[in-house]
């Protein structure tokens, strides 16, 4: 594969220029491995998380939501194996534990704990609570979206490898004999989700037993061709009953599932689809970044799927120094705002500049109010990808955009 590192510079520059992503603490020279999401980046991120929640949780009937604390009892990380094995090799061969340490409490009372390096363990520690509160039948899942922290030895490649990032994870609890069936179901779900959010090509790699985590009997890495090489985007792992058994042994609390109908007790096995939000965003930006020519002029645009684009449509008055156009455009904008998500009013600069800006943000539609609008209640609707404009009745706008 030919590596196109110039592409990364283009993406980083667009993200900064258009308010998607900035280096953290930038006025102090930044902070390696930390990034801030600006206005459009934060909305894009929120749209992706909402869609993930819809597809992985709310479209189903067998899912529970969890929102565990970031700092947990350190025994959690002893039991999960992170304290002893969550390490990366240092240059001089010394192993370095990549969990961020923090001290909890004051003075002699203080104890060492960690910022969670994955959301998964907060799900396992709540397994019994879910069973006791909701009495679910197997199979069922618990999902969580939230921040994770890893003190990566060398953070790099923009938001690909950072020290603070976000994960969308499901722990799906099944009977051992059924694991392959459910593994396949989640595999299909992840494939579909990748397509729906517009990631160009995902390569699936069946991880060999030597490269798998010791507790996993099957893992598929979803990989993406980033400009810096083919690397992991998401993971799907069959984690067996390792985590529930480990927490049960350490805490002394039974994490078995009791089937009232058959009277059997068992420790469920676990299928885990794990998706990093930030790597998802990077893959989407790389898949959607396009350069072409329109009317003889070069342009850059993000071909974002409309349901995740940070701006679904922008409303413009043709000229900003004509009060009758501005007030008509404002009226239309305020009216549509409650019906169309992520609508934006834009009267900066001239219309050419507005199109360029909205193209770079990835806005699928631009609506322009001109003098004809005042007479016949029609507007022009511009399509981002083709640049084509068509005249359309205001009353038909919602349907064309949604
Ligand atoms: P890698 O091998 O690239 O370090 P990993 O196998 O350690 O990744 P997992 O522990 O499986 O990653 O974490 C699940 C998901 O969390 C990954 O597929 C990825 O999307 C995301 N992720 C992990 N580490 C980072 C990081 N440092 N920065 C951004 N996202 C990350």
């Amino acid at each position: 594969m030919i590596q196109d590192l110039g592409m990364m510079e283009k993406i980083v520059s667009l993200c900064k220029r258009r308010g998607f992503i900035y280096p953290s603490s930038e006025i102090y020279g930044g902070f390696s491995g930390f990034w801030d999401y600006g206005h459009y980046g934060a909305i894009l991120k929120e749209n992706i998380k909402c869609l993930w929640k819809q597809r992985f949780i709310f479209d189903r009937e067998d899912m529970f939501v969890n929102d565990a604390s970031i700092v947990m009892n350190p025994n959690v990380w002893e039991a999960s194996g992170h304290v002893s094995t969550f390490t990366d090799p240092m240059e001089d061969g010394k192993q370095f534990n990549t969990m961020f340490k923090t001290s909890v409490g004051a003075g002699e009372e203080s104890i060492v704990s960690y910022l969670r390096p994955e959301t998964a363990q907060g799900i396992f520690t709540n397994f019994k609570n879910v069973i006791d509160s909701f009495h679910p039948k197997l199979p069922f899942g618990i999902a969580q979206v939230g921040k994770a922290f890893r003190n990566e030895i060398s953070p790099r490649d923009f938001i690909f490898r950072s020290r603070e990032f976000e994960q969308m994870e499901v722990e799906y609890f099944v009977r051992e004999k059924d694991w392959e069936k459910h593994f396949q179901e989640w595999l299909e779900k992840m494939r579909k989700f990748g397509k729906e959010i517009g990631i160009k090509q995902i390569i699936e790699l069946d991880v060999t037993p030597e490269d798998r985590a010791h507790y996993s009997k099957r893992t598929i890495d979803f990989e993406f061709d980033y400009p810096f090489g083919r690397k992991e985007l998401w993971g799907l792992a069959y984690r067996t009953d390792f985590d529930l058994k480990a927490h049960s042994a350490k805490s002394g609390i039974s994490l078995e599932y009791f089937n009232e109908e058959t009277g059997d007790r068992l420790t469920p096995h676990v299928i885990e689809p794990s998706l990093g939000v930030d790597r998802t965003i990077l893959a989407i930006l790389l898949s959607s970044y396009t350069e072409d020519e329109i009317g003889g002029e070069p342009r850059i645009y993000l071909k974002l799927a409309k349901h995740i684009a940070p701006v679904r449509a922008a409303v413009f008055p043709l000229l900003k120094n004509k009060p009758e156009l501005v007030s008509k455009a404002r009226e239309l904008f305020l009216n549509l705002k409650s019906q169309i998500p992520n609508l934006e009013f834009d009267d900066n600069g001239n219309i050419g500049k507005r199109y360029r800006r909205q193209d770079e943000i990835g806005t699928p539609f631009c609506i322009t109010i001109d003098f004809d609008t005042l007479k016949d209640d029609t507007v022009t609707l511009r399509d981002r990808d083709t640049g084509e404009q068509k005249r359309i009745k205001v009353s038909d706008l919602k349907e064309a955009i949604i």
Side-chain angles (χ1 to χ4, degrees):
M1 197 195 91
I2 300 165
Q3 299 205 343
D4 180 8
L5 294 175
M7 183 59 156
M8 279 310 288
E9 279 163 24
K10 289 176 184 178
I11 295 285
V12 173
S13 149
L14 184 146
C15 282
K16 169 118 171 71
R17 183 167 76 246
R18 294 302 182 194
F20 282 82
I21 301 167
Y22 311 110
S24 161
S25 328
E26 198 179 5
I27 57 168
Y28 292 101
F31 201 40
S32 179
F34 297 92
W35 298 91
D36 291 347
Y37 284 78
H39 182 70
Y40 292 127
I43 299 172
L44 175 64
K45 197 185 208 191
E46 200 51 42
N47 290 349
I48 292 165
K49 289 193 287 183
C50 279
L51 190 65
W52 182 87
K53 285 179 199 162
Q54 192 59 46
R55 296 290 173 257
F56 284 68
I57 305 172
F58 302 123
D59 282 354
R60 306 174 60 99
E61 288 184 75
D62 53 358
M63 295 297 301
F64 298 90
V65 185
N66 194 52
D67 186 5
S69 63
I70 286 173
V71 178
M72 299 163 81
N73 186 314
N75 283 325
V76 171
W77 307 109
E78 295 270 357
S80 66
H82 283 81
V83 171
S84 52
T85 60
F86 202 64
T87 54
D88 275 344
M90 304 267 280
E91 262 176 26
D92 57 10
K94 232 172 60 218
Q95 288 292 323
F96 174 72
N97 193 304
T98 58
M99 278 198 295
F100 274 103
K101 268 192 190 155
T102 185
S103 75
V104 180
E108 289 185 358
E109 300 281 295
S110 81
I111 56 160
V112 169
S113 191
Y114 308 90
L115 305 190
R116 66 179 178 214
E118 60 177 30
T119 57
Q121 298 306 324
I123 296 180
F124 295 124
T125 52
N126 277 294
F127 175 79
K128 188 173 183 313
N129 287 330
V130 171
I131 296 274
D132 292 349
S133 302
F134 306 105
H135 310 288
K137 299 244 180 312
L138 282 180
F140 70 91
I142 308 178
Q144 173 152 343
V145 176
K147 291 265 184 163
F149 303 81
R150 296 182 189 178
N151 198 358
E152 298 279 1
I153 296 172
S154 42
R156 59 188 174 278
D157 300 320
F158 194 32
I159 52 173
F160 174 80
R161 185 171 301 287
S162 43
R163 288 175 165 146
E164 175 174 342
F165 55 96
E166 211 160 348
Q167 293 183 316
M168 307 181 282
E169 294 195 304
V170 167
E171 305 304 327
Y172 196 70
F173 300 96
V174 304
R175 287 170 195 275
E176 184 178 7
K177 67 177 174 53
D178 296 332
W179 78 265
E180 275 165 309
K181 181 177 88 186
H182 295 296
F183 192 93
Q184 199 57 34
E185 275 169 17
W186 286 103
L187 180 60
E188 294 295 337
K189 195 155 213 47
M190 291 170 80
R191 286 177 182 155
K192 257 198 185 159
F193 186 67
K195 287 212 177 82
E196 191 174 4
I197 57 179
I199 295 181
K200 255 189 193 152
Q201 203 200 351
I202 294 176
I203 305 99
E204 290 167 18
L205 177 83
D206 231 305
V207 181
T208 58
E210 306 82 69
D211 288 337
R212 282 198 301 256
H214 61 95
Y215 49 77
S216 172
K217 285 216 180 127
R218 190 172 178 205
T219 297
I220 291 186
D221 279 354
F222 284 63
E223 299 193 320
F224 181 76
D225 282 329
Y226 301 92
F228 42 86
R230 181 171 289 179
K231 299 246 153 70
E232 179 170 330
L233 169 67
W234 306 328
L236 174 65
Y238 168 39
R239 291 179 80 124
T240 66
D241 55 1
F242 171 81
D243 302 271
L244 289 180
K245 283 214 165 128
H247 286 302
S248 201
K250 179 90 181 164
S251 65
I253 304 281
S254 164
L255 298 179
E256 283 181 324
Y257 172 87
F258 177 65
N259 186 339
E260 283 169 10
E261 282 157 28
T262 59
D264 61 336
R265 284 190 177 276
L266 58 107
T267 304
H269 280 232
V270 172
I271 310 292
E272 180 197 66
S274 175
L275 292 81
V277 179
D278 311 77
R279 287 189 191 176
T280 304
I281 290 176
L282 183 55
I284 289 175
L285 290 172
L286 287 161
S287 300
S288 63
Y289 182 94
T290 316
E291 291 176 357
D292 68 356
E293 261 190 23
I294 214 163
E297 293 281 319
R299 71 152 177 168
I300 294 168
Y301 72 103
L302 292 183
K303 206 173 174 160
L304 295 174
K306 67 177 180 181
H307 46 282
I308 58 166
V311 180
R312 175 74 64 97
V315 178
F316 310 155
L318 179 65
L319 301 165
K320 71 172 183 185
N321 58 359
K322 296 287 174 198
E324 63 274 39
L325 292 186
V326 175
S327 78
K328 184 73 188 169
R330 293 285 314 160
E331 180 193 315
L332 184 80
F333 167 70
L334 293 173
N335 185 21
L336 287 177
K337 206 169 162 21
S338 56
Q339 304 173 50
I340 298 172
N342 303 127
L343 202 68
E344 184 175 276
F345 184 83
D346 188 356
D347 64 355
N348 288 312
N350 61 33
I351 195 126
K353 275 201 179 131
R354 289 180 219 155
Y355 283 149
R356 265 204 298 286
R357 192 173 94 85
Q358 295 297 341
D359 281 345
E360 288 199 4
I361 295 165
T363 305
F365 304 104
C366 291
I367 302 161
T368 303
I369 282 76
D370 56 21
F371 291 103
D372 284 344
T373 315
L374 305 178
K375 286 185 254 156
D376 60 9
D377 247 9
T378 61
V379 293
T380 61
L381 184 66
R382 175 184 180 269
D383 179 278
R384 173 196 64 202
D385 300 351
T386 60
E388 277 169 19
Q389 297 180 36
K390 63 176 180 193
R391 201 92 214 151
I392 176 170
K393 280 197 205 136
V394 168
S395 52
D396 294 336
L397 264 178
K398 187 178 165 193
E399 197 168 325
I401 289 169
I402 282 282

